[in-house]
Amino acid sequence: MVAGDTRHALHLMSVRHDDEAPQYGLLRWLVRVATHAGGELVDIHEREVYVSSLAVEDYLDAAPTDESVARAAVETWRAAAQEYLAREDVEVDDVFLCHGFLRASQPLGLLATWVAEGPPGPPPAPSPRARLSEERLAAAAARVRLLDEAETDALRESVDDQLLAALELDGWTVLFCPCHRPEPGTFQEDRIALCPPGGEFETILMSDPWNGHVMPIDGDAALFRIVARFWRELLGRNGLDVAYTNPRDTDDEDDEPSAGSTSLRAWLEFPLSDSLPPFPAIDWRVYDRSEDDFIADFSFWADGPFGMSPELQARFEAAIATHYHAYVRALIDPDLEPRGE
């Protein structure tokens, strides 16, 4: 992989199955990247990376009679990898983290998709389930309020000790709980909780603090982006934004956070880390680059890493209708459409 007078050589050192994989086929590669500049070896990096997985049925499927599609998938991935490593803002040491090289489209997932479905055609046009009109937004901005300090302190005591700020609108209360002041030795996930008029609070968004992404309760990232924009607009139009310290933004030398490093509106963007430059678009079926953020297309209660009991999962599933979707219909779009399969 060549970028100017710099050449990256990727070597596969070993392959092994993950011993704790929930299904057969989760693979780790030990890879080595040797970097040459002007014909001289200037650096070597080694990392063990994930390369996605193949399910049991993938191993049982008949071998493809035409290998051209599989080979085309491999060449497409290689071209994207070369494009990625050629970027000036890419640090090779940051590329090879535990989630894999080019995590946007890991090799096995891409290969399995192409063998099963062929190369991708154009992505389908998005069809939003809800729409945020300027009329409803302006009306909501005239009625919303930020809870005062005494009200916020009371909710910290009774609902969530990580609460940063809360918005109240037409009897609905939203609690924003980014990881901003964890106790020593603890590290909590980000959360958003919602309470209908006269009801109880339920968590409608939770993060995976180890991997950065946030998970809406119904697993619909596109819908949550509309809801998050609604909240950002309410905060911005009324001067209600709240600055806070993000303990994840620390200085490399003294490991101390920078005070006032972010704000509630910035947090609700859920942007990708600065250390992750944009990935090349390889296959929209494997990775959709229409939104470069950390909002996941799966729910924390059904597919997340939190190991919830069936009873708790049922509770959150019920809260999709009574809390989250009811909030969208009441304040954003009364004509919220059902989610397609």
Side-chain angles (χ1 to χ4, degrees):
M1 303 173 184
V2 180
D5 64 348
T6 301
R7 178 170 58 89
H8 301 292
L10 177 64
H11 303 277
L12 177 63
M13 308 300 292
S14 65
V15 176
R16 75 177 182 89
H17 285 86
D18 191 317
D19 296 334
E20 299 179 356
Q23 62 179 4
Y24 296 108
L26 184 58
L27 295 181
R28 294 184 184 186
W29 288 353
L30 176 62
V31 297
R32 174 184 295 169
V33 178
T35 302
H36 296 76
E40 295 186 3
L41 179 66
V42 295
D43 210 348
I44 295 177
H45 293 268
E46 285 191 357
R47 286 289 188 275
E48 188 178 53
V49 300
Y50 291 100
V51 289
S52 192
S53 61
L54 297 177
V56 175
E57 53 268 24
D58 293 316
Y59 287 97
L60 298 177
D61 282 343
T65 56
D66 181 1
E67 294 184 2
S68 62
V69 172
R71 292 183 180 276
V74 172
E75 290 305 313
T76 298
W77 184 85
R78 286 175 58 88
Q82 178 156 335
E83 174 190 341
Y84 183 50
L85 288 174
R87 293 178 58 95
E88 294 182 355
D89 56 351
V90 170
E91 294 289 340
V92 173
D93 194 40
D94 289 334
V95 171
F96 295 90
L97 299 179
C98 63
H99 301 295
F101 180 48
L102 276 187
R103 69 191 185 110
S105 289
Q106 294 178 341
L108 291 184
L110 181 72
L111 185 60
T113 301
W114 280 48
V115 169
E117 304 176 20
S127 178
R129 302 171 57 201
R131 292 165 178 80
L132 179 55
S133 70
E134 174 58 32
E135 180 181 7
R136 293 186 69 86
L137 185 55
R143 305 192 308 272
V144 72
R145 72 182 184 95
L146 192 72
L147 270 59
D148 62 31
E149 185 174 351
E151 292 171 305
T152 303
D153 283 340
L155 287 171
R156 286 195 189 105
E157 291 289 332
S158 62
V159 182
D160 196 317
D161 64 353
Q162 195 171 271
L163 175 61
L164 173 69
L167 286 180
E168 189 276 329
L169 176 59
D170 295 352
W172 290 85
T173 305
V174 185
L175 307 185
F176 301 111
C177 310
C179 179
H180 69 289
R181 53 179 191 84
E183 296 178 358
T186 67
F187 190 68
Q188 299 187 55
E189 71 272 6
D190 298 318
R191 296 181 289 271
I192 294 178
L194 181 62
C195 181
E200 301 291 334
F201 281 99
E202 290 285 6
T203 301
I204 64 165
L205 177 127
M206 192 180 296
S207 75
D208 176 353
W210 299 275
N211 297 311
H213 58 260
V214 297
M215 298 163 281
I217 188 173
D218 67 343
D220 188 340
L223 177 61
F224 182 76
R225 291 186 184 104
I226 294 172
V227 178
R229 180 192 159 207
F230 178 68
W231 291 328
R232 293 195 305 269
E233 290 287 343
L234 295 183
L235 292 168
R237 295 184 184 207
N238 291 280
L240 302 178
D241 199 10
V242 179
Y244 70 96
T245 297
N246 187 343
R248 298 178 181 131
D249 294 338
T250 58
D251 186 271
D252 291 336
E253 295 182 358
D254 56 18
D255 202 37
E256 289 293 327
S258 302
S261 61
T262 190
S263 72
L264 185 56
R265 288 190 73 220
W267 176 67
L268 287 168
E269 292 275 1
F270 301 107
L272 287 172
S273 168
D274 291 337
S275 66
L276 295 176
F279 292 101
I282 301 176
D283 187 334
W284 59 268
R285 299 167 302 182
V286 181
Y287 176 67
D288 181 3
R289 292 193 67 243
S290 62
E291 298 289 347
D292 285 323
D293 56 32
F294 271 129
I295 303 173
D297 269 315
F298 53 84
S299 62
F300 58 87
W301 59 266
D303 306 300
F306 298 97
M308 295 181 179
S309 66
E311 294 78 15
L312 191 54
Q313 291 184 15
R315 168 182 151 186
F316 281 119
E317 188 170 18
I320 292 174
T322 61
H323 287 64
Y324 184 47
H325 290 177
Y327 180 87
V328 173
R329 289 191 173 94
L331 300 175
I332 298 176
D333 186 351
D335 299 320
L336 173 67
E337 298 177 5
R339 186 175 187 182
E341 293 296 331

